[in-house]
Amino acid sequence: MRHIWYVAYGSNLSRERFHHYLHGGRPHGNNREYPGCRDTSNPLDSFGLLIAGGVYFAGRSSGWRAGMAFYNPEAPGAAAVRAYLITTEQFIDVLAQETRRSPGMALDLAPAFRGSRYSNGVGGYPILVRLGARRGVPLMTFTRDWRGPLTLMAPTMLYLATMATGLREAHRWSWSQIDRYLSALPGVHR
């Protein structure tokens, strides 16, 4: 499979923030410099959608110095996400950068392409989730295990603002809709 819909639910909802993974650089408010993908092409397309499950804030991002978003496909409700049509190589390079690895790592996506809902990722995102397909291209994201005990941790206001920007771009929601959505996410007020 040459292309994949990368489904973003956290700070990568924002086009500008996501482009730092593609092109490299340091996003505003983040203390990490990203090398970028081997293929720096922009996404061929993107769209907003709601998927079953939910988003919560946990862990501690060294880049944001606070909690970060994770996806729980088994949570009640719906998660507002943005799908980017990128190459499978770019998807793997984005995951590599999210887990502090260099672009170009090896990762077998075949189980997910065959239809397995969950398969192995790496590092802090050990679970790949297949969310269906659009126009015959898999919708995929990565997350951590949501089934064990979780320590919720609030994100920074800048992280939330980045998510809000992405929600506005992808879903065209009003600021009050965005505030209601983000305020209801577990861990946001820790």
Side-chain angles (χ1 to χ4, degrees), residues 56 72 74 127 144-152:
Y56 63 95
N72 175 352
E74 296 175 358
I127 300 174
R144 65 186 279 179
D145 195 345
W146 58 91
R147 295 167 279 210
L150 298 173
T151 302
L152 298 177

Side-chain angles (χ1 to χ4, degrees), residues 91-102:
F91 178 82
I92 292 169
D93 286 352
V94 168
L95 178 55
Q97 291 175 83
E98 284 275 18
T99 58
R100 295 191 164 272
R101 289 171 170 76
S102 296

Side-chain angles (χ1 to χ4, degrees), residues 70-180:
F70 292 99
Y71 171 62
N72 175 352
E74 296 175 358
V81 301
R82 183 179 200 162
Y84 295 98
L85 184 59
I86 59 177
T87 67
T88 54
E89 177 186 276
Q90 286 175 313
F91 178 82
I92 292 169
D93 286 352
V94 168
L95 178 55
Q97 291 175 83
E98 284 275 18
T99 58
R100 295 191 164 272
R101 289 171 170 76
S102 296
M105 72 176 189
L107 182 63
D108 181 13
L109 295 177
F113 289 152
R114 283 193 305 269
S116 299
R117 179 153 185 206
Y118 308 125
S119 59
N120 293 331
V122 294
Y125 294 96
I127 300 174
L128 300 175
V129 183
R130 182 167 186 202
L131 300 159
R134 180 178 170 116
R135 298 190 306 245
V137 178
L139 289 149
M140 299 278 301
T141 196
F142 40 81
T143 190
R144 65 186 279 179
D145 195 345
W146 58 91
R147 295 167 279 210
L150 298 173
T151 302
L152 298 177
M153 182 174 286
T156 64
M157 290 307 295
L158 187 55
Y159 189 97
L160 288 174
T162 302
M163 286 180 69
T165 297
L167 289 167
R168 181 90 169 173
E169 292 169 355
H171 292 269
R172 305 286 187 239
W173 287 354
S174 69
W175 292 115
S176 61
Q177 285 175 295
I178 292 169
D179 183 57
R180 279 193 306 275

